[in-house]
Amino acid sequence: MSALRELYQEVILDHNKSPRNFRRMEDATRAVDGYNPLCGDHYKIFVKVEGDVIQDISFDGAGCAISKASASVMSSVLKGKTKEEAERLFQQFHKLVTGDIDAEKNLEALGKLAAFAGVSEFPVRVKCASLAWHTMHAALEARVETISTE
Amino acid sequence: MMKNPDDTLMAEFIERVDGIKGCRFNFPLLRQSVNGKPLVYLDNAATSQKPQVVIDALMRYYQEENSNIHRGVHYLSEKATQSYEASRAKVRKFVNAASVQEVIFVRGTTEGINLVAGSYGRKNIRQGDEVLISAMEHHSNIVPWQILCEEKGAKLRVIPMNDDGELLLDEYERLLGEKTRLVAIAHISNALGTVNPIKEMVAVAHRKGIPVLVDGAQAVPHRKVDVQDLGCDFYTFSSHKMFGPTGVGILYGKKQFLDAMPPYQGGGDMIKSVTFEKTIYNDLPYKFEAGTPNIAGGIALGAAIDYMGMLDMEAISTYEHDLLNYATEALRGINGVRIIGTAREKAGVLSFVIEGIHPHDIGTILDDEGIAIRTGHHCAQPVMQRFGVPATARASFAFYNTKDEVDILVKGIHKVIEVLG
């Protein structure tokens, strides 16, 4: 049970039920679709980048609790960050959910993202947690319109 | 002789904890625990577990008979060939084919369909022709036909279904037109559990001279299949969904069709003689069996058929019907649960969604309770689109599943709602 509680923490349940920045953005500078064909998760990530700063970020779509909470937490963490900072957080997040870093020892750097530490115990759910991040990454890189986890 | 009421009670008790005729005992894998809880395996539509006799058959082949078939004059080759061909004869009897020549070993249902598309389809389907499938097909009974239609400039048409997941038979008749060259339909839907009225559908197509292929992957584990009674021209299924090993399956085809079809793959065993100028193909069924097959798998499939015969297919159907009804009623009683696929005739499969909770999360929480179900689109994305859901959770049953396990599933679903609702 503890691993399951670790996965479905309060922060995650809360963001799943009341996702932040869950809206379309009309004046986005970039919008990218992210799919997980395995389970049908689909999100669109909107970013408004001015100069080097993410002025606004939002998302739309549907998927499991982990993927939706991840998109929501990501959007609240990245607002106002520079592209470089966003990229660094993406790397941190990825290491966290794949179990490459210990959340306990990196609480300060991870902040709210630490809630996703439990994902590393569920390898099949890593894609759920990282879908929004990969999509955001593609939006900042301005390379493609659609990405897929497969 | 009058049945002792105590015996009846005892039989009911055994079924409740140990499946039909207490058969759980024969499945070593089912004895394990997952996450500290007894395993409740409800993913049988994906693949079934194997009884000890099937595992033993695989081992015995490699320990005592391993050699190549149809080639050697030596003792072992003779023995392996006998076992393999005996298995083909068991399959013939199992589906009541007219002859062993009509029983072709393939890798599985997917290859069976690809064989017909690649051989019969390529030869007989031309530009402007139509292939008719249904709205509830597995991707393996969609994509091979799409590839063929694209290559030939033919058109793929689809029989629609109603909100219960039943095919619209009036529409079906209307779609069977001048240009229809083949109908390819599932006997039982893997995503919905719908049992299609194959015999009637075949009769309608045959009145218009159109052949029918049936994807029987989800049917053979649950009910007696008689290909001659159904009247279909092709019937294909997988060993691993009917308690046999993976990597082997069967394509049944009527002899006159198979005789007229070109080979599907070239190689050893499918020829009579080869020169650089001309090759003479082997007789049926070997014409469609190029290369060394999955010998151990074929032999062990025979063991699975023997095992099912021992339990008795009629008894299996009755037992599972009762179990599915029990599970359906139980899930109907849970607030927020919606069953996807409510056809009058169903077998084996219970697909559902829970209001506001993604199937993936259902799967993870049930897994924590030791319950294995499938979540996702079940390789039937058009079915998900038809019902307006991205995915479903699917519990699928076999004769070793019990009412006790259904009760555990129901408890697990309550837990899901408690955690995420």
Side-chain angles (χ1 to χ4, degrees):
Chain A
M1 191 58 214
S2 65
L4 193 68
R5 284 283 176 220
E6 185 75 10
L7 178 67
Y8 292 109
Q9 294 194 11
E10 279 309 316
V11 177
I12 291 179
L13 296 177
D14 172 45
H15 277 261
N16 174 47
K17 271 201 181 138
S18 354
R20 325 293 198 266
N21 306 302
F22 190 53
R23 58 184 156 81
R24 300 181 68 80
M25 195 194 299
E26 296 310 323
D27 59 345
T29 48
R30 287 276 294 164
V32 172
D33 285 298
Y35 285 101
N36 183 343
L38 204 66
C39 55
D41 289 357
H42 173 214
Y43 293 99
K44 198 178 191 87
I45 307 279
F46 302 86
V47 290
K48 190 161 99 182
V49 180
E50 279 169 19
D52 211 28
V53 177
I54 301 168
Q55 292 294 351
D56 198 5
I57 174 165
S58 70
F59 75 104
D60 189 25
C64 66
I66 305 299
S67 64
K68 189 179 243 179
S70 173
S72 173
V73 170
M74 178 187 81
S75 70
S76 50
V77 166
L78 292 188
K79 206 181 283 190
K81 295 277 193 301
T82 64
K83 281 162 78 171
E84 198 183 319
E85 284 167 329
E87 199 56 38
R88 196 166 42 77
L89 283 165
F90 175 34
Q91 298 306 334
Q92 289 275 318
F93 182 81
H94 197 264
K95 283 184 185 157
L96 176 72
V97 295
T98 51
D100 282 350
I101 53 169
D102 189 345
E104 297 285 313
K105 291 179 188 149
N106 294 276
L107 280 179
E108 207 170 323
L110 288 165
K112 270 191 242 174
L113 302 184
F116 291 88
V119 174
S120 64
E121 293 295 318
F122 296 82
V124 293
R125 306 306 298 272
V126 170
K127 280 177 181 172
C128 309
S130 46
L131 175 61
W133 286 87
H134 280 287
T135 313
M136 176 280 299
H137 174 73
L140 294 185
E141 294 261 303
R143 275 184 318 193
V144 291
E145 300 298 328
T146 303
I147 69 143
S148 160
T149 56
E150 296 304 300
Chain B
M1 203 176 77
M2 281 274 287
K3 248 191 179 171
N4 183 340
D6 283 350
D7 288 350
T8 313
L9 272 178
M10 183 51 103
E12 275 171 19
F13 173 75
I14 288 173
E15 267 191 9
R16 190 162 178 100
V17 292
D18 266 340
I20 188 171
K21 297 176 188 170
C23 70
R24 277 181 84 87
F25 169 73
N26 298 318
F27 291 78
L29 184 139
L30 296 175
R31 288 174 216 152
Q32 69 184 287
S33 292
V34 171
N35 294 319
K37 321 245 167 57
L39 168 67
V40 174
Y41 186 78
L42 298 176
D43 195 16
N44 295 286
T47 197
S48 61
Q49 299 305 338
K50 321 304 173 198
Q52 190 66 52
V53 284
V54 167
I55 299 164
D56 288 348
L58 284 170
M59 212 155 71
R60 192 169 49 245
Y61 167 73
Y62 284 119
Q63 283 184 345
E64 296 173 15
E65 294 183 355
N66 179 51
S67 61
N68 215 327
I69 53 169
H70 303 145
R71 285 162 177 81
V73 292
H74 59 79
Y75 169 77
L76 283 179
S77 175
E78 189 81 353
K79 208 171 166 187
T81 304
Q82 268 173 16
S83 297
Y84 192 68
E85 291 304 325
S87 198
R88 194 192 305 274
K90 287 174 189 174
V91 174
R92 185 209 67 73
K93 202 171 158 213
F94 180 66
V95 295
N96 193 31
S99 142
V100 286
Q101 290 190 303
E102 300 181 323
V103 176
I104 298 160
F105 279 112
V106 289
R107 277 187 300 154
T109 309
T110 299
E111 189 176 42
I113 297 169
N114 276 278
L115 191 159
V116 176
S119 169
Y120 181 85
R122 269 216 177 124
K123 188 177 175 196
N124 295 290
I125 287 159
R126 301 190 174 79
Q127 192 168 13
D129 286 348
E130 293 176 1
V131 175
L132 185 56
I133 62 171
S134 91
M136 65 177 75
E137 296 312 314
H138 187 281
H139 294 163
S140 64
N141 203 21
I142 302 174
V143 183
W145 306 114
Q146 275 175 331
I147 292 171
L148 176 71
C149 287
E150 187 160 342
E151 181 186 317
K152 295 290 182 177
K155 197 170 173 198
L156 191 64
R157 307 207 66 182
V158 182
I159 311 160
M161 60 180 159
N162 64 21
D163 291 343
D164 288 321
E166 293 167 326
L167 293 180
L168 302 178
L169 297 178
D170 291 350
E171 286 295 317
Y172 167 59
E173 279 210 59
R174 215 163 302 146
L175 282 162
L176 287 168
E178 289 283 293
K179 294 175 177 169
T180 315
R181 292 289 167 268
L182 186 80
V183 175
I185 38 172
H187 194 163
I188 295 180
S189 156
N190 75 308
L192 302 168
T194 310
V195 181
N196 287 317
I198 294 298
K199 193 174 173 177
E200 291 76 12
M201 292 178 79
V202 169
V204 173
H206 281 183
R207 276 204 290 279
K208 301 188 182 186
I210 302 162
V212 179
L213 171 141
V214 179
D215 165 358
Q218 298 294 341
V220 287
H222 302 298
R223 51 170 53 206
K224 174 82 190 124
V225 169
D226 181 331
V227 290
Q228 294 190 75
D229 180 56
L230 292 173
C232 57
D233 306 283
F234 300 101
Y235 194 98
T236 180
F237 54 95
S238 300
S239 150
H240 74 97
K241 291 192 202 287
M242 52 175 285
F243 320 100
T246 55
V248 66
I250 297 295
L251 172 69
Y252 155 82
K254 280 185 184 157
K255 188 170 181 299
Q256 69 266 31
F257 280 87
L258 296 174
D259 270 334
M261 282 158 56
Y264 163 61
Q265 290 177 334
D269 222 22
M270 55 77 72
I271 49 86
K272 266 188 180 156
S273 75
V274 177
T275 66
F276 288 118
E277 288 70 38
K278 186 168 173 57
T279 289
I280 298 170
Y281 302 132
N282 207 338
D283 297 326
L284 288 174
Y286 311 111
K287 182 170 92 174
F288 294 103
E289 296 182 351
T292 298
N294 181 351
I295 303 169
I299 292 170
L301 168 60
I305 289 173
D306 288 343
Y307 181 79
M308 290 171 81
M310 192 190 75
L311 293 179
D312 177 49
M313 284 312 291
E314 297 290 335
I316 288 172
S317 290
T318 309
Y319 176 81
E320 290 184 358
H321 187 74
D322 186 41
L323 190 64
L324 184 63
N325 282 347
Y326 182 80
T328 305
E329 282 310 307
L331 260 64
R332 273 208 187 117
I334 306 174
N335 234 341
V337 170
R338 175 161 73 107
I339 293 169
I340 305 287
T342 45
R344 271 158 298 175
E345 283 279 323
K346 277 184 71 174
V349 167
L350 191 55
S351 252
F352 62 95
V353 292
I354 306 177
E355 180 71 33
I357 301 176
H358 193 279
H360 222 149
D361 297 313
I362 301 174
T364 295
I365 295 172
L366 290 183
D367 178 59
D368 200 62
E369 296 294 307
I371 306 166
I373 59 155
R374 171 89 185 264
T375 64
H377 53 58
H378 318 297
C379 296
Q381 286 181 331
V383 175
M384 301 299 116
Q385 286 151 18
R386 170 66 178 74
F387 286 92
V389 292
T392 73
R394 179 188 70 184
S396 53
F397 302 95
F399 48 70
Y400 43 64
N401 291 125
T402 65
K403 288 182 180 171
D404 271 6
E405 289 182 305
V406 172
D407 294 346
I408 295 170
L409 171 69
V410 169
K411 260 192 218 155
I413 292 172
H414 281 297
K415 174 101 174 270
V416 172
I417 296 170
E418 179 198 313
V419 175
L420 287 174

mmCIF file with all atom_site columns, all heavy atoms in Angstrom, chain B residues 126-141:
data_model
loop_
_atom_site.group_PDB
_atom_site.id
_atom_site.type_symbol
_atom_site.label_atom_id
_atom_site.label_alt_id
_atom_site.label_comp_id
_atom_site.label_asym_id
_atom_site.label_entity_id
_atom_site.label_seq_id
_atom_site.pdbx_PDB_ins_code
_atom_site.Cartn_x
_atom_site.Cartn_y
_atom_site.Cartn_z
_atom_site.occupancy
_atom_site.B_iso_or_equiv
_atom_site.pdbx_formal_charge
_atom_site.auth_seq_id
_atom_site.auth_comp_id
_atom_site.auth_asym_id
_atom_site.auth_atom_id
_atom_site.pdbx_PDB_model_num
ATOM 1   N N   . ARG B 1 126 ? -9.536  -6.847  -56.612 1.00 0.00 ? 126 ARG B N   1
ATOM 2   C CA  . ARG B 1 126 ? -9.024  -5.941  -57.637 1.00 0.00 ? 126 ARG B CA  1
ATOM 3   C C   . ARG B 1 126 ? -9.510  -4.522  -57.380 1.00 0.00 ? 126 ARG B C   1
ATOM 4   O O   . ARG B 1 126 ? -10.315 -4.286  -56.481 1.00 0.00 ? 126 ARG B O   1
ATOM 5   C CB  . ARG B 1 126 ? -9.497  -6.402  -59.023 1.00 0.00 ? 126 ARG B CB  1
ATOM 6   C CG  . ARG B 1 126 ? -9.040  -7.806  -59.355 1.00 0.00 ? 126 ARG B CG  1
ATOM 7   C CD  . ARG B 1 126 ? -9.283  -8.203  -60.785 1.00 0.00 ? 126 ARG B CD  1
ATOM 8   N NE  . ARG B 1 126 ? -8.685  -9.518  -61.032 1.00 0.00 ? 126 ARG B NE  1
ATOM 9   C CZ  . ARG B 1 126 ? -9.233  -10.688 -60.667 1.00 0.00 ? 126 ARG B CZ  1
ATOM 10  N NH1 . ARG B 1 126 ? -10.416 -10.705 -60.064 1.00 0.00 ? 126 ARG B NH1 1
ATOM 11  N NH2 . ARG B 1 126 ? -8.614  -11.821 -60.899 1.00 0.00 ? 126 ARG B NH2 1
ATOM 12  N N   . GLN B 1 127 ? -9.038  -3.634  -58.213 1.00 0.00 ? 127 GLN B N   1
ATOM 13  C CA  . GLN B 1 127 ? -9.412  -2.235  -58.097 1.00 0.00 ? 127 GLN B CA  1
ATOM 14  C C   . GLN B 1 127 ? -10.937 -2.081  -58.079 1.00 0.00 ? 127 GLN B C   1
ATOM 15  O O   . GLN B 1 127 ? -11.635 -2.689  -58.890 1.00 0.00 ? 127 GLN B O   1
ATOM 16  C CB  . GLN B 1 127 ? -8.827  -1.456  -59.274 1.00 0.00 ? 127 GLN B CB  1
ATOM 17  C CG  . GLN B 1 127 ? -8.936  0.030   -59.063 1.00 0.00 ? 127 GLN B CG  1
ATOM 18  C CD  . GLN B 1 127 ? -8.105  0.803   -60.068 1.00 0.00 ? 127 GLN B CD  1
ATOM 19  O OE1 . GLN B 1 127 ? -7.634  0.254   -61.061 1.00 0.00 ? 127 GLN B OE1 1
ATOM 20  N NE2 . GLN B 1 127 ? -7.929  2.087   -59.822 1.00 0.00 ? 127 GLN B NE2 1
ATOM 21  N N   . GLY B 1 128 ? -11.432 -1.266  -57.170 1.00 0.00 ? 128 GLY B N   1
ATOM 22  C CA  . GLY B 1 128 ? -12.871 -1.008  -57.100 1.00 0.00 ? 128 GLY B CA  1
ATOM 23  C C   . GLY B 1 128 ? -13.642 -2.026  -56.287 1.00 0.00 ? 128 GLY B C   1
ATOM 24  O O   . GLY B 1 128 ? -14.808 -1.805  -55.959 1.00 0.00 ? 128 GLY B O   1
ATOM 25  N N   . ASP B 1 129 ? -13.000 -3.161  -55.932 1.00 0.00 ? 129 ASP B N   1
ATOM 26  C CA  . ASP B 1 129 ? -13.682 -4.169  -55.104 1.00 0.00 ? 129 ASP B CA  1
ATOM 27  C C   . ASP B 1 129 ? -13.796 -3.679  -53.661 1.00 0.00 ? 129 ASP B C   1
ATOM 28  O O   . ASP B 1 129 ? -13.151 -2.697  -53.280 1.00 0.00 ? 129 ASP B O   1
ATOM 29  C CB  . ASP B 1 129 ? -12.884 -5.486  -55.113 1.00 0.00 ? 129 ASP B CB  1
ATOM 30  C CG  . ASP B 1 129 ? -13.024 -6.219  -56.439 1.00 0.00 ? 129 ASP B CG  1
ATOM 31  O OD1 . ASP B 1 129 ? -13.894 -5.826  -57.243 1.00 0.00 ? 129 ASP B OD1 1
ATOM 32  O OD2 . ASP B 1 129 ? -12.243 -7.166  -56.671 1.00 0.00 ? 129 ASP B OD2 1
ATOM 33  N N   . GLU B 1 130 ? -14.593 -4.413  -52.897 1.00 0.00 ? 130 GLU B N   1
ATOM 34  C CA  . GLU B 1 130 ? -14.760 -4.032  -51.491 1.00 0.00 ? 130 GLU B CA  1
ATOM 35  C C   . GLU B 1 130 ? -14.517 -5.209  -50.553 1.00 0.00 ? 130 GLU B C   1
ATOM 36  O O   . GLU B 1 130 ? -14.883 -6.347  -50.851 1.00 0.00 ? 130 GLU B O   1
ATOM 37  C CB  . GLU B 1 130 ? -16.179 -3.503  -51.260 1.00 0.00 ? 130 GLU B CB  1
ATOM 38  C CG  . GLU B 1 130 ? -16.427 -2.191  -51.970 1.00 0.00 ? 130 GLU B CG  1
ATOM 39  C CD  . GLU B 1 130 ? -17.872 -1.695  -51.839 1.00 0.00 ? 130 GLU B CD  1
ATOM 40  O OE1 . GLU B 1 130 ? -18.688 -2.371  -51.170 1.00 0.00 ? 130 GLU B OE1 1
ATOM 41  O OE2 . GLU B 1 130 ? -18.157 -0.636  -52.426 1.00 0.00 ? 130 GLU B OE2 1
ATOM 42  N N   . VAL B 1 131 ? -13.909 -4.903  -49.406 1.00 0.00 ? 131 VAL B N   1
ATOM 43  C CA  . VAL B 1 131 ? -13.763 -5.862  -48.312 1.00 0.00 ? 131 VAL B CA  1
ATOM 44  C C   . VAL B 1 131 ? -14.606 -5.318  -47.170 1.00 0.00 ? 131 VAL B C   1
ATOM 45  O O   . VAL B 1 131 ? -14.527 -4.139  -46.844 1.00 0.00 ? 131 VAL B O   1
ATOM 46  C CB  . VAL B 1 131 ? -12.290 -6.006  -47.877 1.00 0.00 ? 131 VAL B CB  1
ATOM 47  C CG1 . VAL B 1 131 ? -12.172 -6.903  -46.656 1.00 0.00 ? 131 VAL B CG1 1
ATOM 48  C CG2 . VAL B 1 131 ? -11.436 -6.535  -49.031 1.00 0.00 ? 131 VAL B CG2 1
ATOM 49  N N   . LEU B 1 132 ? -15.417 -6.193  -46.577 1.00 0.00 ? 132 LEU B N   1
ATOM 50  C CA  . LEU B 1 132 ? -16.333 -5.743  -45.523 1.00 0.00 ? 132 LEU B CA  1
ATOM 51  C C   . LEU B 1 132 ? -15.893 -6.295  -44.170 1.00 0.00 ? 132 LEU B C   1
ATOM 52  O O   . LEU B 1 132 ? -15.793 -7.512  -43.994 1.00 0.00 ? 132 LEU B O   1
ATOM 53  C CB  . LEU B 1 132 ? -17.751 -6.216  -45.867 1.00 0.00 ? 132 LEU B CB  1
ATOM 54  C CG  . LEU B 1 132 ? -18.890 -5.744  -44.956 1.00 0.00 ? 132 LEU B CG  1
ATOM 55  C CD1 . LEU B 1 132 ? -18.945 -4.234  -44.854 1.00 0.00 ? 132 LEU B CD1 1
ATOM 56  C CD2 . LEU B 1 132 ? -20.226 -6.294  -45.476 1.00 0.00 ? 132 LEU B CD2 1
ATOM 57  N N   . ILE B 1 133 ? -15.610 -5.377  -43.242 1.00 0.00 ? 133 ILE B N   1
ATOM 58  C CA  . ILE B 1 133 ? -15.276 -5.784  -41.870 1.00 0.00 ? 133 ILE B CA  1
ATOM 59  C C   . ILE B 1 133 ? -16.322 -5.169  -40.940 1.00 0.00 ? 133 ILE B C   1
ATOM 60  O O   . ILE B 1 133 ? -17.279 -4.569  -41.407 1.00 0.00 ? 133 ILE B O   1
ATOM 61  C CB  . ILE B 1 133 ? -13.841 -5.359  -41.468 1.00 0.00 ? 133 ILE B CB  1
ATOM 62  C CG1 . ILE B 1 133 ? -13.694 -3.839  -41.492 1.00 0.00 ? 133 ILE B CG1 1
ATOM 63  C CG2 . ILE B 1 133 ? -12.821 -6.028  -42.361 1.00 0.00 ? 133 ILE B CG2 1
ATOM 64  C CD1 . ILE B 1 133 ? -12.392 -3.329  -40.903 1.00 0.00 ? 133 ILE B CD1 1
ATOM 65  N N   . SER B 1 134 ? -16.119 -5.291  -39.619 1.00 0.00 ? 134 SER B N   1
ATOM 66  C CA  . SER B 1 134 ? -17.111 -4.708  -38.721 1.00 0.00 ? 134 SER B CA  1
ATOM 67  C C   . SER B 1 134 ? -16.484 -3.644  -37.827 1.00 0.00 ? 134 SER B C   1
ATOM 68  O O   . SER B 1 134 ? -15.265 -3.542  -37.718 1.00 0.00 ? 134 SER B O   1
ATOM 69  C CB  . SER B 1 134 ? -17.762 -5.784  -37.856 1.00 0.00 ? 134 SER B CB  1
ATOM 70  O OG  . SER B 1 134 ? -17.046 -5.924  -36.650 1.00 0.00 ? 134 SER B OG  1
ATOM 71  N N   . ALA B 1 135 ? -17.337 -2.873  -37.181 1.00 0.00 ? 135 ALA B N   1
ATOM 72  C CA  . ALA B 1 135 ? -16.897 -1.764  -36.333 1.00 0.00 ? 135 ALA B CA  1
ATOM 73  C C   . ALA B 1 135 ? -16.238 -2.242  -35.050 1.00 0.00 ? 135 ALA B C   1
ATOM 74  O O   . ALA B 1 135 ? -15.681 -1.446  -34.315 1.00 0.00 ? 135 ALA B O   1
ATOM 75  C CB  . ALA B 1 135 ? -18.094 -0.874  -35.991 1.00 0.00 ? 135 ALA B CB  1
ATOM 76  N N   . MET B 1 136 ? -16.315 -3.547  -34.753 1.00 0.00 ? 136 MET B N   1
ATOM 77  C CA  . MET B 1 136 ? -15.742 -4.015  -33.486 1.00 0.00 ? 136 MET B CA  1
ATOM 78  C C   . MET B 1 136 ? -14.489 -4.859  -33.684 1.00 0.00 ? 136 MET B C   1
ATOM 79  O O   . MET B 1 136 ? -14.108 -5.622  -32.796 1.00 0.00 ? 136 MET B O   1
ATOM 80  C CB  . MET B 1 136 ? -16.790 -4.783  -32.675 1.00 0.00 ? 136 MET B CB  1
ATOM 81  C CG  . MET B 1 136 ? -17.258 -6.049  -33.319 1.00 0.00 ? 136 MET B CG  1
ATOM 82  S SD  . MET B 1 136 ? -18.435 -6.932  -32.270 1.00 0.00 ? 136 MET B SD  1
ATOM 83  C CE  . MET B 1 136 ? -19.913 -5.965  -32.468 1.00 0.00 ? 136 MET B CE  1
ATOM 84  N N   . GLU B 1 137 ? -13.828 -4.711  -34.841 1.00 0.00 ? 137 GLU B N   1
ATOM 85  C CA  . GLU B 1 137 ? -12.667 -5.566  -35.090 1.00 0.00 ? 137 GLU B CA  1
ATOM 86  C C   . GLU B 1 137 ? -11.440 -5.140  -34.290 1.00 0.00 ? 137 GLU B C   1
ATOM 87  O O   . GLU B 1 137 ? -11.221 -3.973  -34.015 1.00 0.00 ? 137 GLU B O   1
ATOM 88  C CB  . GLU B 1 137 ? -12.331 -5.573  -36.593 1.00 0.00 ? 137 GLU B CB  1
ATOM 89  C CG  . GLU B 1 137 ? -13.420 -6.172  -37.464 1.00 0.00 ? 137 GLU B CG  1
ATOM 90  C CD  . GLU B 1 137 ? -13.942 -7.512  -36.969 1.00 0.00 ? 137 GLU B CD  1
ATOM 91  O OE1 . GLU B 1 137 ? -13.119 -8.372  -36.612 1.00 0.00 ? 137 GLU B OE1 1
ATOM 92  O OE2 . GLU B 1 137 ? -15.174 -7.680  -36.918 1.00 0.00 ? 137 GLU B OE2 1
ATOM 93  N N   . HIS B 1 138 ? -10.640 -6.138  -33.966 1.00 0.00 ? 138 HIS B N   1
ATOM 94  C CA  . HIS B 1 138 ? -9.291  -5.947  -33.418 1.00 0.00 ? 138 HIS B CA  1
ATOM 95  C C   . HIS B 1 138 ? -8.433  -5.390  -34.555 1.00 0.00 ? 138 HIS B C   1
ATOM 96  O O   . HIS B 1 138 ? -8.705  -5.664  -35.729 1.00 0.00 ? 138 HIS B O   1
ATOM 97  C CB  . HIS B 1 138 ? -8.786  -7.338  -32.996 1.00 0.00 ? 138 HIS B CB  1
ATOM 98  C CG  . HIS B 1 138 ? -7.486  -7.351  -32.267 1.00 0.00 ? 138 HIS B CG  1
ATOM 99  N ND1 . HIS B 1 138 ? -6.281  -7.230  -32.917 1.00 0.00 ? 138 HIS B ND1 1
ATOM 100 C CD2 . HIS B 1 138 ? -7.197  -7.509  -30.958 1.00 0.00 ? 138 HIS B CD2 1
ATOM 101 C CE1 . HIS B 1 138 ? -5.302  -7.311  -32.021 1.00 0.00 ? 138 HIS B CE1 1
ATOM 102 N NE2 . HIS B 1 138 ? -5.834  -7.482  -30.816 1.00 0.00 ? 138 HIS B NE2 1
ATOM 103 N N   . HIS B 1 139 ? -7.394  -4.636  -34.209 1.00 0.00 ? 139 HIS B N   1
ATOM 104 C CA  . HIS B 1 139 ? -6.538  -4.063  -35.263 1.00 0.00 ? 139 HIS B CA  1
ATOM 105 C C   . HIS B 1 139 ? -6.030  -5.131  -36.238 1.00 0.00 ? 139 HIS B C   1
ATOM 106 O O   . HIS B 1 139 ? -5.815  -4.846  -37.415 1.00 0.00 ? 139 HIS B O   1
ATOM 107 C CB  . HIS B 1 139 ? -5.333  -3.347  -34.641 1.00 0.00 ? 139 HIS B CB  1
ATOM 108 C CG  . HIS B 1 139 ? -5.730  -2.125  -33.849 1.00 0.00 ? 139 HIS B CG  1
ATOM 109 N ND1 . HIS B 1 139 ? -4.897  -1.531  -32.939 1.00 0.00 ? 139 HIS B ND1 1
ATOM 110 C CD2 . HIS B 1 139 ? -6.877  -1.394  -33.835 1.00 0.00 ? 139 HIS B CD2 1
ATOM 111 C CE1 . HIS B 1 139 ? -5.509  -0.483  -32.391 1.00 0.00 ? 139 HIS B CE1 1
ATOM 112 N NE2 . HIS B 1 139 ? -6.719  -0.393  -32.913 1.00 0.00 ? 139 HIS B NE2 1
ATOM 113 N N   . SER B 1 140 ? -5.867  -6.356  -35.755 1.00 0.00 ? 140 SER B N   1
ATOM 114 C CA  . SER B 1 140 ? -5.340  -7.407  -36.635 1.00 0.00 ? 140 SER B CA  1
ATOM 115 C C   . SER B 1 140 ? -6.348  -7.830  -37.695 1.00 0.00 ? 140 SER B C   1
ATOM 116 O O   . SER B 1 140 ? -5.979  -8.490  -38.671 1.00 0.00 ? 140 SER B O   1
ATOM 117 C CB  . SER B 1 140 ? -4.923  -8.623  -35.810 1.00 0.00 ? 140 SER B CB  1
ATOM 118 O OG  . SER B 1 140 ? -6.060  -9.168  -35.179 1.00 0.00 ? 140 SER B OG  1
ATOM 119 N N   . ASN B 1 141 ? -7.615  -7.472  -37.515 1.00 0.00 ? 141 ASN B N   1
ATOM 120 C CA  . ASN B 1 141 ? -8.594  -7.760  -38.576 1.00 0.00 ? 141 ASN B CA  1
ATOM 121 C C   . ASN B 1 141 ? -9.014  -6.464  -39.286 1.00 0.00 ? 141 ASN B C   1
ATOM 122 O O   . ASN B 1 141 ? -10.048 -6.416  -39.940 1.00 0.00 ? 141 ASN B O   1
ATOM 123 C CB  . ASN B 1 141 ? -9.816  -8.489  -38.012 1.00 0.00 ? 141 ASN B CB  1
ATOM 124 C CG  . ASN B 1 141 ? -10.573 -9.283  -39.072 1.00 0.00 ? 141 ASN B CG  1
ATOM 125 O OD1 . ASN B 1 141 ? -10.011 -9.628  -40.131 1.00 0.00 ? 141 ASN B OD1 1
ATOM 126 N ND2 . ASN B 1 141 ? -11.844 -9.549  -38.824 1.00 0.00 ? 141 ASN B ND2 1
#
